[in-house]
Amino acid sequence: MSSSSKKAKELEDPGSGEGDARDYDVEIQKTLEEIDGCQNQIDGLNEKASDEILEVEKKYNKLRKPYFQKRNDIIKRIPNFWVTAFVNNKEIAEILEEDEEDALRFLNKLEVEEFEDIKSGYRINFYFDENPYFENDVLTKEFHLGSSASQSTSIRWKEGADLTKKAKTKTPLKGRKRPLKHRSFFDWFTDHGDPSSDEIAELIKDDMWPNPLQYYLAPDIDVENGIEGDGEECESEEEEEEEDGADDGDEGGEGEEGDDSIVVVEDDVDEDDDEDEAVNDEDDGVNEEDDLLVDDGDDPLGLFYCKCFRGRRT
């Protein structure tokens, strides 16, 4: 049998410009086909898993709904809850104008609703109290993931209060970062671009809506985790250490002399007598804690920590 009959060839389309042919041994070709068969079975299971996961998600969306409603009712007790959460979110804060923050102070409820077919999209509902900016009680923006455009409620602006027009006439504040796509919050709301690339919408849906409390409490959480104020504390500790080092400089010198006297001892001298002599030489101006540390000449860090401890205690 010729060598050509022992090989199975997979050739690229000559017209495609790819050019290279891939030669496989018959046994390897059969093995690759078996792998492909296994891969098809895996893909089928993955599709089945996705369908089942969607059904589970639908189930738990219904179970979560009354808790979301209860949470919204509780949130209404806190003035300016939602605008505070928005301002504390860095990405949303970047597209918030000052006038828009004032308008969002009238936002009393936020709600994200996924469509019955979860894969098809979702809507975000903004509920407002009566305000001087627009007449709508509810502003809704829908995201149909199978289409190339989103939809939003037409805002009925009150006379002279159209914030989208004000945003267009304003120049960006110097030194303030601005996303290229949206100049302001209501500019984002009225934009009907591709839903699949709407980062603000995804941020609200997947981050803000599941747990808005984390953003309302953001400054308090930062302080609790030590994000703010650590620098000052470190500086004060360093200054304290420097002051302690200056105050105890003479004592440290005496300690070093004591250590040197121990190291340079002749072999025929009794070690106990040397230790007693070293301690007696350091008694003047040195407390009991310093004596213990000076004796241990191989542990200079011990003296450092002891001084810090003594300085804080006094």
Side-chain angles (χ1 to χ4, degrees):
M1 183 180 292
S2 65
S3 59
S4 60
S5 63
K6 294 181 180 180
K7 292 184 178 180
K9 294 185 177 181
E10 290 185 357
L11 299 176
E12 300 289 346
D13 183 1
S16 65
E18 299 292 340
D20 294 335
R22 303 182 66 183
D23 297 341
Y24 293 116
D25 185 272
V26 173
E27 294 300 323
I28 293 179
Q29 181 67 28
K30 290 181 179 179
T31 303
L32 290 174
E33 291 175 357
E34 291 181 16
I35 294 174
D36 185 58
C38 288
Q39 191 61 50
N40 289 335
Q41 292 176 331
I42 293 171
D43 292 341
L45 288 175
N46 288 340
E47 292 178 4
K48 184 178 179 181
S50 297
D51 294 337
E52 293 183 6
I53 289 171
L54 286 176
E55 292 301 318
V56 171
E57 187 63 27
K58 288 179 183 179
K59 172 185 175 181
Y60 280 92
N61 278 346
K62 292 179 181 179
L63 293 175
R64 283 190 290 259
K65 193 170 183 177
Y67 292 98
F68 283 136
Q69 181 60 49
K70 181 180 179 180
R71 187 185 68 186
N72 266 329
D73 293 340
I74 297 172
I75 285 175
K76 287 182 179 180
R77 303 177 195 169
I78 302 177
N80 301 322
F81 179 93
W82 286 110
V83 67
T84 302
F86 282 175
V87 169
N88 288 340
N89 183 290
K90 294 180 180 179
E91 288 81 1
I92 296 179
E94 287 181 356
I95 65 168
L96 272 178
E97 294 288 352
E98 186 175 349
D99 291 341
E100 293 178 324
E101 291 182 24
D102 291 337
L104 290 176
R105 292 182 185 279
F106 297 92
L107 178 64
N108 61 61
K109 180 180 176 182
L110 176 71
E111 185 178 56
V112 174
E113 289 183 291
E114 293 189 274
F115 297 157
E116 185 65 24
D117 180 5
I118 297 176
K119 293 186 293 185
S120 64
Y122 58 95
R123 67 175 58 91
I124 302 176
N125 300 318
F126 301 87
Y127 295 82
F128 288 86
D129 293 325
E130 185 177 352
N131 62 81
Y133 295 96
F134 44 81
E135 299 177 356
N136 308 71
D137 294 330
V138 184
L139 297 179
T140 299
K141 187 165 185 177
E142 293 189 351
F143 304 88
H144 298 269
L145 301 181
S147 66
S148 59
S150 59
Q151 303 173 3
S152 63
T153 303
S154 177
I155 303 177
R156 301 191 302 273
W157 296 103
K158 295 183 178 180
E159 186 175 356
D162 190 338
L163 298 180
T164 58
K165 292 182 179 179
K166 292 183 179 180
K168 290 179 181 179
T169 59
K170 287 183 180 179
T171 56
L173 294 177
K174 198 171 184 180
R176 185 177 182 182
K177 294 180 180 179
R178 282 287 181 191
L180 297 176
K181 191 172 182 181
H182 304 299
R183 289 175 52 85
S184 69
F185 179 83
F186 284 103
D187 177 49
W188 161 78
F189 182 84
T190 55
D191 178 75
H192 297 150
D194 185 357
S196 62
S197 62
D198 195 320
E199 295 179 359
I200 297 297
E202 292 178 357
L203 184 64
I204 294 175
K205 172 181 175 290
D206 298 328
D207 201 13
M208 178 75 70
W209 170 244
N211 184 9
L213 188 62
Q214 63 178 321
Y215 290 105
Y216 181 82
L217 297 175
D220 296 332
I221 293 174
D222 289 345
V223 172
E224 182 178 338
N225 291 337
I227 295 177
E228 295 181 5
D230 283 351
E232 296 179 358
E233 183 178 352
C234 291
E235 291 177 0
S236 63
E237 289 182 1
E238 290 176 358
E239 292 174 359
E240 181 181 350
E241 291 166 4
E242 292 176 0
E243 292 176 359
D244 287 342
D247 293 341
D248 297 338
D250 295 338
E251 296 174 7
E254 293 178 5
E256 291 173 359
E257 291 177 1
D259 294 339
D260 291 340
S261 64
I262 294 173
V263 172
V264 183
V265 167
E266 297 293 335
D267 294 337
D268 57 344
V269 179
D270 184 32
E271 293 180 357
D272 294 335
D273 293 338
D274 290 339
E275 293 176 357
D276 293 339
E277 183 179 354
V279 171
N280 292 332
D281 290 340
E282 295 162 1
D283 282 341
D284 294 338
V286 182
N287 59 27
E288 182 178 354
E289 291 175 348
D290 288 340
D291 292 341
L292 293 174
L293 289 166
V294 169
D295 287 343
D296 189 3
D298 294 333
D299 184 17
L301 292 178
L303 177 59
F304 173 80
Y305 290 122
C306 180
K307 288 180 179 179
C308 292
F309 180 81
R310 188 182 68 243
R312 292 175 181 169
R313 183 177 61 184
T314 56

